[in-house]
Amino acid sequence: MKQEQKALYRQAQLAGLGIVVGITGLAVDHPWLPWIGLFVFVLGLLRFFLIRGLIRRTHDPEAPDSGSVQKSQDTKTPEE
């Protein structure tokens, strides 16, 4: 597995852990555990999408989502 895939997989695992913690908190009727699970889930998803965006920008620096202004292709002058 590539390093990028490992990083994304770890963040997906974190989001999955948040789901498990939240469901467990609901099952045992704990007052704060479902909220902690929801926080961990959102944190995992947020980190997943941020890391995925960074990886895409690294591999394709001219991608439209990278925030860079695309240069126009019509910079050639017509020959006479």
Side-chain angles (χ1 to χ4, degrees):
M1 220 188 265
K2 295 181 184 179
Q3 290 293 341
E4 293 93 357
Q5 291 173 336
K6 286 182 183 180
L8 290 176
Y9 183 71
R10 287 183 187 136
Q11 301 317 310
Q13 281 182 323
L14 181 63
L17 176 66
I19 292 172
V20 170
V21 169
I23 290 174
T24 303
L26 289 173
V28 297
D29 198 29
H30 192 276
W32 288 102
L33 209 52
W35 294 108
I36 294 170
L38 180 66
F39 175 74
V40 172
F41 173 71
V42 170
L43 181 69
L45 281 182
L46 181 67
R47 289 179 61 169
F48 177 86
F49 288 116
L50 286 175
I51 291 173
R52 186 179 74 168
L54 287 172
I55 291 171
R56 284 186 178 177
R57 273 190 218 130
T58 303
H59 290 297
D60 189 14
E62 293 298 322
D65 65 347
S66 66
S68 64
V69 178
Q70 292 183 350
K71 298 178 183 175
S72 65
Q73 299 293 329
D74 299 328
T75 57
K76 297 179 182 178
T77 59
E79 294 181 13
E80 296 178 16

Coordinates of all heavy atoms in Angstrom, one line a residue:
M1 N 0.8 -1.2 0.0 CA 0.0 0.0 0.0 C 0.9 1.2 0.0 O 1.9 1.3 0.7 CB -0.9 0.0 1.3 CG -2.3 0.4 1.0 SD -3.2 0.6 2.5 CE -4.0 -0.9 2.6
K2 N 0.5 2.3 -0.8 CA 1.2 3.5 -0.8 C 1.0 4.3 0.5 O 0.0 4.1 1.2 CB 0.8 4.3 -2.0 CG 1.1 3.7 -3.3 CD 0.6 4.7 -4.4 CE 0.8 4.1 -5.8 NZ 0.4 5.0 -6.8
Q3 N 1.9 5.2 0.8 CA 1.8 6.0 2.0 C 0.5 6.9 2.0 O -0.1 7.0 3.0 CB 3.0 7.0 2.1 CG 4.3 6.3 2.4 CD 4.3 5.7 3.8 OE1 3.5 6.0 4.7 NE2 5.2 4.7 4.0
E4 N 0.1 7.3 0.8 CA -1.1 8.1 0.7 C -2.3 7.3 1.0 O -3.2 7.7 1.7 CB -1.3 8.7 -0.7 CG -0.3 9.7 -1.1 CD 0.9 9.1 -1.8 OE1 1.0 7.9 -2.0 OE2 1.8 9.9 -2.2
Q5 N -2.3 6.1 0.5 CA -3.5 5.2 0.8 C -3.5 4.8 2.3 O -4.6 4.7 2.9 CB -3.3 3.9 0.0 CG -3.6 4.1 -1.5 CD -3.3 2.8 -2.3 OE1 -2.5 2.0 -1.8 NE2 -3.9 2.7 -3.4
K6 N -2.3 4.6 2.9 CA -2.3 4.3 4.4 C -2.8 5.5 5.2 O -3.6 5.3 6.1 CB -0.9 4.1 4.8 CG -0.4 2.7 4.4 CD 1.1 2.5 4.9 CE 1.6 1.2 4.4 NZ 3.0 0.9 4.9
A7 N -2.5 6.7 4.8 CA -3.0 7.9 5.5 C -4.5 8.0 5.4 O -5.2 8.3 6.4 CB -2.3 9.2 5.0
L8 N -5.0 7.8 4.2 CA -6.5 7.9 4.1 C -7.2 6.8 4.8 O -8.2 7.0 5.4 CB -6.8 7.9 2.6 CG -6.5 9.1 1.8 CD1 -6.8 8.9 0.3 CD2 -7.2 10.3 2.3
Y9 N -6.6 5.6 4.8 CA -7.2 4.4 5.5 C -7.2 4.7 7.0 O -8.2 4.4 7.6 CB -6.4 3.2 5.2 CG -6.9 1.9 5.8 CD1 -8.1 1.4 5.3 CD2 -6.3 1.3 6.8 CE1 -8.6 0.2 5.8 CE2 -6.8 0.1 7.4 CZ -8.0 -0.4 6.9 OH -8.5 -1.5 7.4
R10 N -6.2 5.3 7.5 CA -6.2 5.6 9.0 C -7.3 6.6 9.3 O -7.9 6.4 10.4 CB -4.8 6.1 9.4 CG -3.8 5.1 9.4 CD -2.4 5.6 9.9 NE -1.4 4.6 9.7 CZ -0.2 4.9 9.3 NH1 0.1 6.1 8.9 NH2 0.7 3.9 9.2
Q11 N -7.5 7.5 8.5 CA -8.6 8.5 8.8 C -10.0 7.9 8.6 O -10.9 8.2 9.4 CB -8.4 9.7 7.9 CG -7.1 10.5 8.0 CD -6.7 10.6 9.4 OE1 -7.4 11.1 10.3 NE2 -5.4 10.3 9.7
A12 N -10.1 7.0 7.7 CA -11.4 6.2 7.5 C -11.6 5.4 8.8 O -12.7 5.2 9.2 CB -11.4 5.4 6.3
Q13 N -10.5 4.8 9.3 CA -10.6 4.0 10.5 C -11.1 4.9 11.7 O -11.9 4.4 12.5 CB -9.3 3.3 10.9 CG -9.0 2.1 10.1 CD -7.7 1.5 10.5 OE1 -6.7 2.1 10.8 NE2 -7.6 0.1 10.5
L14 N -10.5 6.1 11.8 CA -10.9 7.0 12.8 C -12.4 7.3 12.7 O -13.1 7.3 13.8 CB -10.1 8.3 12.7 CG -10.3 9.3 13.8 CD1 -10.0 8.8 15.2 CD2 -9.5 10.6 13.5
A15 N -12.9 7.5 11.5 CA -14.3 7.8 11.4 C -15.2 6.6 11.8 O -16.2 6.7 12.4 CB -14.6 8.2 9.9
G16 N -14.7 5.4 11.4 CA -15.4 4.2 11.8 C -15.4 4.0 13.3 O -16.4 3.5 13.9
L17 N -14.3 4.3 14.0 CA -14.2 4.3 15.4 C -15.2 5.2 16.0 O -15.9 4.8 17.0 CB -12.8 4.6 15.9 CG -12.6 4.7 17.4 CD1 -12.8 3.3 18.0 CD2 -11.2 5.2 17.7
G18 N -15.4 6.4 15.5 CA -16.4 7.3 16.0 C -17.8 6.7 15.9 O -18.6 6.9 16.8
I19 N -18.1 6.0 14.8 CA -19.4 5.3 14.7 C -19.6 4.3 15.8 O -20.6 4.2 16.4 CB -19.6 4.7 13.3 CG1 -19.7 5.8 12.2 CG2 -20.8 3.8 13.2 CD1 -19.6 5.3 10.8
V20 N -18.6 3.5 16.0 CA -18.6 2.4 17.0 C -18.8 3.0 18.4 O -19.6 2.5 19.2 CB -17.4 1.5 16.9 CG1 -17.3 0.5 18.1 CG2 -17.4 0.7 15.6
V21 N -18.1 4.0 18.7 CA -18.2 4.6 20.0 C -19.6 5.2 20.2 O -20.2 5.1 21.3 CB -17.1 5.7 20.2 CG1 -17.3 6.6 21.4 CG2 -15.7 5.1 20.3
G22 N -20.1 5.9 19.2 CA -21.4 6.5 19.3 C -22.5 5.4 19.5 O -23.4 5.6 20.3
I23 N -22.4 4.4 18.7 CA -23.4 3.3 18.9 C -23.3 2.6 20.2 O -24.3 2.3 20.9 CB -23.3 2.3 17.7 CG1 -23.8 2.9 16.4 CG2 -24.1 1.0 18.0 CD1 -23.5 2.1 15.2
T24 N -22.1 2.4 20.7 CA -21.9 1.8 22.0 C -22.5 2.7 23.1 O -23.1 2.3 24.0 CB -20.4 1.6 22.3 OG1 -19.9 0.7 21.2 CG2 -20.2 0.9 23.6
G25 N -22.3 4.0 22.9 CA -22.8 5.0 23.9 C -24.3 5.0 23.9 O -24.9 5.1 25.0
L26 N -24.9 4.8 22.8 CA -26.4 4.7 22.7 C -26.9 3.4 23.3 O -27.9 3.4 24.0 CB -26.9 4.8 21.3 CG -26.8 6.2 20.6 CD1 -27.2 6.1 19.1 CD2 -27.7 7.2 21.3
A27 N -26.1 2.3 23.1 CA -26.5 1.0 23.6 C -26.5 1.0 25.2 O -27.3 0.3 25.8 CB -25.7 -0.1 23.0
V28 N -25.5 1.6 25.7 CA -25.3 1.5 27.2 C -26.0 2.7 27.9 O -25.9 2.8 29.1 CB -23.8 1.4 27.6 CG1 -23.2 0.2 27.1 CG2 -23.0 2.6 27.2
D29 N -26.6 3.6 27.1 CA -27.4 4.7 27.6 C -26.5 5.7 28.4 O -26.8 6.1 29.5 CB -28.6 4.3 28.4 CG -29.6 5.4 28.6 OD1 -29.7 6.2 27.7 OD2 -30.3 5.4 29.6
H30 N -25.3 5.9 27.9 CA -24.3 6.8 28.5 C -24.7 8.2 28.0 O -24.9 8.4 26.8 CB -22.9 6.4 28.1 CG -21.9 7.1 28.9 ND1 -21.4 8.4 28.6 CD2 -21.2 6.8 30.0 CE1 -20.5 8.8 29.5 NE2 -20.3 7.8 30.3
P31 N -24.6 9.2 28.9 CA -25.0 10.6 28.5 C -24.1 11.3 27.5 O -24.5 12.0 26.6 CB -25.1 11.4 29.8 CG -24.3 10.6 30.8 CD -24.3 9.2 30.3
W32 N -22.8 11.0 27.6 CA -21.8 11.8 26.8 C -21.2 10.9 25.7 O -20.6 11.5 24.8 CB -20.7 12.4 27.6 CG -21.2 13.5 28.5 CD1 -21.6 13.5 29.8 CD2 -21.5 14.8 28.0 NE1 -22.0 14.7 30.2 CE2 -22.0 15.6 29.1 CE3 -21.4 15.5 26.8 CZ2 -22.4 16.9 29.0 CZ3 -21.7 16.8 26.7 CH2 -22.2 17.5 27.8
L33 N -21.2 9.6 25.8 CA -20.5 8.8 24.8 C -21.0 8.9 23.4 O -20.2 9.0 22.5 CB -20.5 7.3 25.3 CG -19.4 6.4 24.9 CD1 -18.1 7.0 25.3 CD2 -19.5 5.1 25.5
P34 N -22.3 9.0 23.1 CA -22.7 9.3 21.7 C -22.2 10.6 21.1 O -21.8 10.6 20.0 CB -24.2 9.3 21.8 CG -24.6 8.5 23.0 CD -23.5 8.8 24.0
W35 N -22.1 11.6 22.0 CA -21.6 12.9 21.5 C -20.1 12.8 21.2 O -19.6 13.4 20.2 CB -21.8 14.0 22.5 CG -23.3 14.3 22.6 CD1 -24.1 14.0 23.7 CD2 -24.1 14.9 21.6 NE1 -25.4 14.4 23.4 CE2 -25.4 14.9 22.1 CE3 -23.9 15.4 20.4 CZ2 -26.5 15.5 21.4 CZ3 -25.0 16.0 19.7 CH2 -26.2 16.0 20.2
I36 N -19.4 12.1 22.0 CA -17.9 11.9 21.8 C -17.7 11.1 20.5 O -16.9 11.4 19.7 CB -17.3 11.2 23.0 CG1 -17.3 12.1 24.2 CG2 -15.9 10.7 22.7 CD1 -16.9 11.4 25.5
G37 N -18.6 10.0 20.3 CA -18.5 9.3 19.1 C -18.8 10.1 17.8 O -18.1 10.0 16.8
L38 N -19.8 11.0 17.9 CA -20.1 11.9 16.8 C -18.9 12.8 16.5 O -18.6 13.1 15.4 CB -21.4 12.7 17.1 CG -21.8 13.7 16.1 CD1 -22.2 12.9 14.8 CD2 -22.9 14.5 16.6
F39 N -18.3 13.4 17.6 CA -17.1 14.2 17.4 C -16.0 13.5 16.7 O -15.4 14.0 15.8 CB -16.7 14.8 18.8 CG -15.4 15.6 18.7 CD1 -15.5 16.9 18.1 CD2 -14.2 15.1 19.1 CE1 -14.3 17.6 18.1 CE2 -13.1 15.8 19.1 CZ -13.1 17.1 18.5
V40 N -15.7 12.3 17.1 CA -14.6 11.5 16.5 C -15.0 11.2 15.1 O -14.1 11.2 14.2 CB -14.4 10.2 17.4 CG1 -13.4 9.3 16.7 CG2 -13.8 10.6 18.7
F41 N -16.2 10.9 14.8 CA -16.6 10.6 13.4 C -16.4 11.8 12.5 O -15.9 11.7 11.4 CB -18.1 10.1 13.4 CG -18.7 10.0 12.1 CD1 -18.3 8.9 11.2 CD2 -19.6 10.9 11.6 CE1 -18.8 8.8 10.0 CE2 -20.2 10.7 10.3 CZ -19.8 9.7 9.5
V42 N -16.9 12.9 13.0 CA -16.7 14.2 12.2 C -15.3 14.5 12.0 O -14.8 14.9 10.9 CB -17.5 15.3 12.8 CG1 -17.2 16.7 12.2 CG2 -19.0 15.0 12.7
L43 N -14.5 14.4 13.1 CA -13.1 14.6 13.0 C -12.4 13.7 12.0 O -11.6 14.2 11.2 CB -12.4 14.5 14.4 CG -10.9 14.7 14.4 CD1 -10.6 16.2 14.3 CD2 -10.4 14.2 15.8
G44 N -12.7 12.4 12.0 CA -12.2 11.5 11.0 C -12.5 11.8 9.6 O -11.7 11.8 8.7
L45 N -13.8 12.2 9.4 CA -14.2 12.6 8.0 C -13.6 13.9 7.5 O -13.1 13.9 6.4 CB -15.8 12.8 8.0 CG -16.6 11.5 7.9 CD1 -18.1 11.9 7.8 CD2 -16.2 10.7 6.7
L46 N -13.5 14.8 8.4 CA -12.8 16.1 8.1 C -11.4 15.9 7.7 O -10.9 16.3 6.7 CB -12.9 17.1 9.2 CG -12.3 18.5 9.0 CD1 -13.1 19.2 8.0 CD2 -12.3 19.2 10.3
R47 N -10.7 15.1 8.5 CA -9.3 14.8 8.2 C -9.1 14.0 6.9 O -8.2 14.2 6.2 CB -8.6 14.1 9.4 CG -8.4 15.0 10.6 CD -7.8 14.3 11.7 NE -6.5 13.8 11.4 CZ -5.6 13.3 12.3 NH1 -6.0 13.3 13.5 NH2 -4.5 12.9 11.9
F48 N -10.0 13.1 6.7 CA -10.0 12.3 5.5 C -10.1 13.2 4.2 O -9.3 13.0 3.3 CB -11.1 11.3 5.5 CG -11.2 10.4 4.2 CD1 -10.5 9.3 4.1 CD2 -12.0 10.8 3.2 CE1 -10.5 8.5 3.0 CE2 -12.1 10.0 2.0 CZ -11.4 8.9 1.9
F49 N -11.0 14.1 4.2 CA -11.2 14.9 3.0 C -10.1 16.0 2.9 O -9.7 16.3 1.8 CB -12.6 15.6 3.1 CG -13.7 14.6 2.8 CD1 -14.7 14.3 3.7 CD2 -13.8 14.0 1.5 CE1 -15.7 13.4 3.4 CE2 -14.8 13.1 1.3 CZ -15.7 12.8 2.2
L50 N -9.6 16.5 4.0 CA -8.5 17.4 3.9 C -7.2 16.7 3.4 O -6.5 17.3 2.5 CB -8.2 18.0 5.3 CG -9.2 19.1 5.7 CD1 -8.9 19.5 7.2 CD2 -9.2 20.3 4.8
I51 N -6.9 15.5 3.9 CA -5.7 14.8 3.4 C -5.9 14.4 2.0 O -5.0 14.5 1.2 CB -5.4 13.6 4.3 CG1 -5.0 14.1 5.7 CG2 -4.4 12.7 3.7 CD1 -4.8 13.0 6.7
R52 N -7.1 14.0 1.6 CA -7.3 13.6 0.2 C -7.1 14.8 -0.7 O -6.5 14.7 -1.8 CB -8.8 13.1 0.0 CG -9.0 12.5 -1.4 CD -10.4 12.0 -1.5 NE -11.3 13.1 -1.6 CZ -12.6 13.0 -1.9 NH1 -13.1 11.8 -2.2 NH2 -13.4 14.0 -1.9
G53 N -7.6 16.0 -0.3 CA -7.4 17.2 -1.1 C -5.9 17.5 -1.2 O -5.4 17.9 -2.3
L54 N -5.1 17.4 -0.1 CA -3.7 17.6 -0.2 C -3.0 16.7 -1.1 O -2.1 17.1 -1.9 CB -3.1 17.6 1.2 CG -3.4 18.7 2.2 CD1 -2.9 18.4 3.6 CD2 -2.8 20.0 1.6
I55 N -3.4 15.4 -1.1 CA -2.8 14.4 -2.0 C -3.1 14.7 -3.4 O -2.2 14.6 -4.3 CB -3.2 13.0 -1.6 CG1 -2.7 12.6 -0.2 CG2 -2.9 12.0 -2.6 CD1 -3.2 11.3 0.4
R56 N -4.3 15.1 -3.7 CA -4.7 15.4 -5.1 C -3.9 16.6 -5.6 O -3.5 16.7 -6.7 CB -6.2 15.7 -5.2 CG -7.0 14.4 -5.2 CD -8.4 14.7 -5.4 NE -9.2 13.5 -5.4 CZ -10.5 13.4 -5.6 NH1 -11.2 14.5 -5.7 NH2 -11.1 12.2 -5.6
R57 N -3.7 17.7 -4.7 CA -2.9 18.8 -5.1 C -1.5 18.5 -5.4 O -0.8 19.1 -6.2 CB -3.0 19.9 -4.0 CG -4.2 20.8 -4.2 CD -4.2 22.0 -3.3 NE -5.5 22.2 -2.9 CZ -5.9 22.3 -1.6 NH1 -5.0 22.3 -0.7 NH2 -7.2 22.5 -1.3
T58 N -1.0 17.6 -4.6 CA 0.4 17.2 -4.7 C 0.7 16.5 -6.1 O 1.6 16.7 -6.7 CB 0.9 16.3 -3.6 OG1 0.6 16.9 -2.3 CG2 2.3 15.9 -3.7
H59 N -0.3 15.6 -6.4 CA -0.1 14.9 -7.7 C -0.5 15.7 -8.9 O 0.1 15.4 -10.0 CB -1.0 13.6 -7.6 CG -0.4 12.6 -6.7 ND1 0.8 12.0 -6.8 CD2 -1.0 12.0 -5.6 CE1 1.0 11.1 -5.8 NE2 -0.1 11.2 -5.0
D60 N -1.4 16.6 -8.8 CA -1.9 17.4 -9.9 C -2.0 18.9 -9.5 O -3.0 19.3 -9.1 CB -3.2 16.9 -10.4 CG -3.6 17.6 -11.7 OD1 -2.8 18.2 -12.4 OD2 -4.8 17.5 -12.1
P61 N -0.8 19.6 -9.6 CA -0.9 21.0 -9.1 C -1.7 21.9 -9.9 O -2.1 23.0 -9.4 CB 0.6 21.4 -9.2 CG 1.2 20.5 -10.1 CD 0.4 19.2 -10.1
E62 N -2.1 21.6 -11.1 CA -3.0 22.4 -11.9 C -4.5 22.1 -11.8 O -5.3 22.4 -12.6 CB -2.6 22.4 -13.3 CG -1.2 23.0 -13.6 CD -1.2 24.5 -13.2 OE1 -2.2 25.2 -13.5 OE2 -0.2 24.9 -12.7
A63 N -4.8 21.3 -10.8 CA -6.2 20.9 -10.6 C -7.1 22.1 -10.2 O -6.6 23.0 -9.5 CB -6.3 19.8 -9.5
P64 N -8.3 22.1 -10.7 CA -9.2 23.2 -10.4 C -9.5 23.5 -8.9 O -9.7 24.6 -8.5 CB -10.5 22.9 -11.1 CG -10.2 21.8 -12.0 CD -8.9 21.1 -11.6
D65 N -9.4 22.4 -8.1 CA -9.7 22.6 -6.7 C -8.5 23.0 -5.9 O -8.6 23.1 -4.7 CB -10.3 21.3 -6.1 CG -9.3 20.1 -6.1 OD1 -8.3 20.3 -6.8 OD2 -9.5 19.1 -5.5
S66 N -7.4 23.2 -6.5 CA -6.2 23.6 -5.8 C -6.2 25.1 -5.5 O -5.3 25.5 -4.8 CB -4.9 23.2 -6.6 OG -4.9 24.0 -7.8
G67 N -7.1 25.9 -6.0 CA -7.2 27.3 -5.7 C -6.3 28.1 -6.6 O -6.2 29.3 -6.4
S68 N -5.6 27.5 -7.5 CA -4.7 28.3 -8.4 C -5.5 28.8 -9.5 O -6.4 28.2 -10.0 CB -3.5 27.4 -8.8 OG -4.0 26.4 -9.6
V69 N -5.1 29.9 -10.1 CA -5.7 30.5 -11.2 C -5.1 29.8 -12.5 O -3.9 29.7 -12.6 CB -5.5 32.0 -11.3 CG1 -6.1 32.6 -12.5 CG2 -6.0 32.7 -10.0
Q70 N -6.0 29.3 -13.3 CA -5.5 28.6 -14.5 C -5.1 29.6 -15.5 O -5.8 30.6 -15.8 CB -6.6 27.7 -15.1 CG -6.9 26.5 -14.2 CD -8.0 25.6 -14.8 OE1 -8.6 26.0 -15.8 NE2 -8.2 24.5 -14.2
K71 N -4.0 29.4 -16.2 CA -3.5 30.2 -17.2 C -4.2 29.9 -18.5 O -4.6 28.8 -18.8 CB -2.0 30.0 -17.4 CG -1.2 30.4 -16.2 CD 0.3 30.1 -16.4 CE 1.1 30.4 -15.1 NZ 2.5 30.0 -15.3
S72 N -4.5 31.0 -19.3 CA -5.2 30.8 -20.5 C -4.2 30.1 -21.6 O -3.0 30.4 -21.6 CB -5.7 32.1 -21.1 OG -4.7 32.9 -21.4
Q73 N -4.8 29.3 -22.4 CA -4.0 28.6 -23.4 C -3.8 29.5 -24.7 O -3.1 29.1 -25.6 CB -4.7 27.3 -23.8 CG -4.8 26.3 -22.6 CD -3.5 25.8 -22.1 OE1 -2.6 25.7 -22.9 NE2 -3.4 25.5 -20.8
D74 N -4.5 30.6 -24.8 CA -4.5 31.4 -26.0 C -3.4 32.5 -25.9 O -3.6 33.7 -26.2 CB -5.8 32.1 -26.2 CG -6.9 31.0 -26.4 OD1 -6.6 30.0 -26.9 OD2 -8.0 31.3 -26.0
T75 N -2.2 32.2 -25.4 CA -1.2 33.2 -25.3 C -0.3 33.3 -26.5 O 0.6 34.1 -26.6 CB -0.3 32.9 -24.1 OG1 0.3 31.5 -24.2 CG2 -1.1 32.9 -22.8
K76 N -0.5 32.4 -27.5 CA 0.3 32.4 -28.7 C -0.2 33.6 -29.6 O -1.4 33.9 -29.7 CB 0.1 31.1 -29.5 CG 0.6 29.9 -28.7 CD 0.4 28.7 -29.6 CE 0.9 27.4 -28.8 NZ 0.7 26.2 -29.5
T77 N 0.8 34.2 -30.2 CA 0.4 35.3 -31.2 C 0.3 34.7 -32.6 O 1.1 33.8 -32.9 CB 1.5 36.4 -31.2 OG1 2.7 35.8 -31.5 CG2 1.6 37.0 -29.8
P78 N -0.6 35.1 -33.4 CA -0.8 34.5 -34.7 C 0.4 34.9 -35.6 O 0.9 36.1 -35.5 CB -2.1 35.1 -35.2 CG -2.3 36.3 -34.4 CD -1.6 36.1 -33.1
E79 N 0.9 34.0 -36.4 CA 2.0 34.3 -37.3 C 1.5 34.9 -38.5 O 0.5 34.6 -39.0 CB 2.8 33.0 -37.6 CG 3.4 32.4 -36.4 CD 4.2 31.1 -36.7 OE1 4.4 30.8 -37.9 OE2 4.5 30.4 -35.8
E80 N 2.3 35.8 -39.1 CA 1.9 36.5 -40.3 C 2.4 35.8 -41.5 O 3.3 35.2 -41.6 CB 2.4 37.9 -40.3 CG 1.8 38.7 -39.1 CD 2.4 40.1 -39.1 OE1 3.0 40.6 -40.0 OE2 2.2 40.7 -38.0

